[in-house]
Amino acid sequence: MMRKKLTKIIYKQMVKALGKVLRSDALPPYAAAEPLQPDESADLNLLVWADPQISALSPLRAARVACACKDVRRAKGRYDALILAGDLTEYGMVCEYKLLSDLLKTVAQRVDSVLAVPGNHDIRLRKYRNQVRVFDRFLGSVQGAVRLKGEGYFRTVDRKGCRFVLLGADRSSFEASYLSDAQLCKLDEALAAADPDKPVFVVNHQPLKYTNGLPKTFLGRGDWRGSVGRESDKLRVILEKYGNAVYITGHLHYGTSRYLYEKIGRFHAINVPTVGVINHGDCDAFAQGLVLTVHGNRITVRARVFGEGKYIDDSNPGAAVTFTV
């Protein structure tokens, strides 16, 4: 009872602090000049965010996500899914998840599904099984969210002929993502069973070693830092088997750049800037994310500053990418 009462108190304080930031001039102006508009001819229209990192101690992060949600609410149509590539919260606190849930409820009329994976911040400070339960309860509070199945984070979701494979660490880790052999085997099976002529989106929080600009894009912190970690090589071997695999990650907090998309052997890797925290690199605008459009085996990626309601100019490296699987 004491814990629930404390959670309510902190949550109320977070909402109050968020309101103050939204009423202040701490955020850049919202342009509304380039509204989101799904491509009606596409097989799939997707929105992709990473690292909201809603924090009990930083209302500015929630305010940026709130602005991004406003952008989605003003969309001229519905999107098939909103993908959240990990680090939904800063400390894995129930009050942080609740505030994010409240924000996502405002975009329910513009998004059919919410596909979310955990990041290291979501699981690293509490017992693993407790965090799995908290994460699943959060998913249950969000309209259209795909909930967990079993004791771990692994899920496979099919939408309009395309497959999504959602990964998550099998034990607590401060920064890396431990992926057990059992989960990697499930991934291999899910990729093998998918339509080879359609993309398969594999979503995990951390990128692979030496990809998407690592270690530079993680402030140059060592050979493995910023990556999956010890299981990186095993995961890469599996992805290399499938030319239709598209590996989507966050974690780096690196703004739109030439490192955003990379072809790695046969598969493709996309690293998503943060929608809630400060983005590093030359393009450091707040609340960045991606809009993906799928036509058959062709995927178009456009980088957007959701917090300001505009696309990043195509002249910027990584702002507009098209590839085939």
Side-chain angles (χ1 to χ4, degrees):
M1 289 297 294
M2 190 65 181
R3 179 177 295 178
K4 289 183 178 180
K5 185 176 181 179
L6 182 60
T7 295
K8 290 182 179 179
I9 292 172
I10 298 175
Y11 171 75
K12 289 180 180 179
Q13 292 175 341
M14 291 173 67
V15 172
K16 184 177 180 180
L18 169 60
K20 286 183 178 180
V21 174
L22 292 175
R23 291 189 297 270
S24 74
D25 59 358
L27 298 166
Y30 182 83
E34 299 178 271
L36 287 162
Q37 187 161 6
D39 184 345
E40 294 183 359
S41 69
D43 298 330
L44 278 174
N45 289 281
L46 307 171
L47 305 175
V48 191
W49 292 348
D51 300 87
Q53 278 186 231
I54 300 296
S55 170
L57 302 179
S58 177
L60 188 55
R61 296 181 186 178
R64 293 169 187 148
V65 176
C67 290
C69 288
K70 178 172 71 172
D71 193 30
V72 177
R73 288 198 303 275
R74 295 187 176 189
K76 306 299 182 180
R78 293 180 66 89
Y79 282 79
D80 294 294
L82 169 62
I83 297 173
L84 300 174
D87 274 5
L88 279 56
T89 66
E90 176 67 20
Y91 305 110
M93 297 171 65
V94 172
C95 53
E96 294 172 336
Y97 280 115
K98 178 169 173 50
L99 184 54
L100 178 57
S101 174
D102 288 347
L103 293 172
L104 293 177
K105 286 175 183 176
T106 68
V107 303
Q109 299 306 310
R110 290 291 178 264
V111 175
D112 288 337
S113 296
V114 175
L115 309 178
V117 301
N120 54 304
H121 278 269
D122 299 313
I123 67 174
R124 69 185 185 182
L125 296 180
R126 301 172 192 274
K127 291 182 179 180
Y128 178 78
R129 290 184 179 179
N130 289 345
Q131 279 307 311
V132 171
R133 287 194 291 269
V134 170
F135 193 82
D136 190 51
R137 284 199 293 269
F138 157 74
L139 294 174
S141 71
V142 177
Q143 183 174 325
V146 176
R147 300 190 68 172
L148 304 184
K149 299 176 181 178
E151 297 182 352
Y153 292 105
F154 181 89
R155 285 152 290 159
T156 299
V157 183
D158 293 324
R159 293 286 184 271
K160 297 184 176 180
C162 294
R163 173 158 290 186
F164 297 82
V165 185
L166 311 180
L167 307 182
D170 287 307
R171 68 183 181 210
S172 295
S173 175
F174 192 79
E175 187 177 304
S177 177
Y178 170 70
L179 301 175
S180 67
D181 288 344
Q183 183 171 183
L184 292 173
C185 183
K186 291 179 182 178
L187 168 62
D188 199 357
E189 292 172 351
L191 289 168
D195 185 339
D197 297 321
K198 294 287 185 70
V200 181
F201 298 98
V202 180
V203 187
N204 189 44
H205 182 56
Q206 294 93 337
L208 298 167
K209 291 188 299 185
Y210 307 119
T211 65
N212 297 113
L214 282 174
K216 174 184 176 180
T217 47
F218 201 68
L219 305 180
R221 296 174 176 170
D223 291 341
W224 68 269
R225 296 287 297 279
S227 76
V228 168
R230 293 181 178 179
E231 282 69 48
S232 181
D233 292 341
K234 291 182 180 180
L235 176 57
R236 180 167 180 161
V237 167
I238 293 172
L239 294 173
E240 286 269 19
K241 294 167 61 177
Y242 304 95
N244 61 338
V246 182
Y247 185 53
I248 297 177
T249 60
H251 190 55
L252 303 184
H253 301 185
Y254 204 82
T256 300
S257 73
R258 64 187 180 91
Y259 303 114
L260 187 147
Y261 164 79
E262 182 177 358
K263 177 75 179 296
I264 305 172
R266 297 183 64 203
F267 72 97
H268 309 263
I270 297 173
N271 185 257
V272 188
T274 168
V275 72
V277 194
I278 296 172
N279 280 293
H280 304 291
D282 293 333
C283 184
D284 59 358
F286 293 142
Q288 294 181 47
L290 305 178
V291 179
L292 270 62
T293 308
V294 181
H295 289 87
N297 66 345
R298 188 178 83 252
I299 300 170
T300 299
V301 181
R302 294 196 68 189
R304 184 173 177 88
V305 185
F306 285 85
E308 299 178 35
K310 63 182 183 182
Y311 286 101
I312 295 175
D313 190 272
D314 289 357
S315 63
N316 291 322
V321 178
T322 298
F323 61 91
T324 58
V325 299

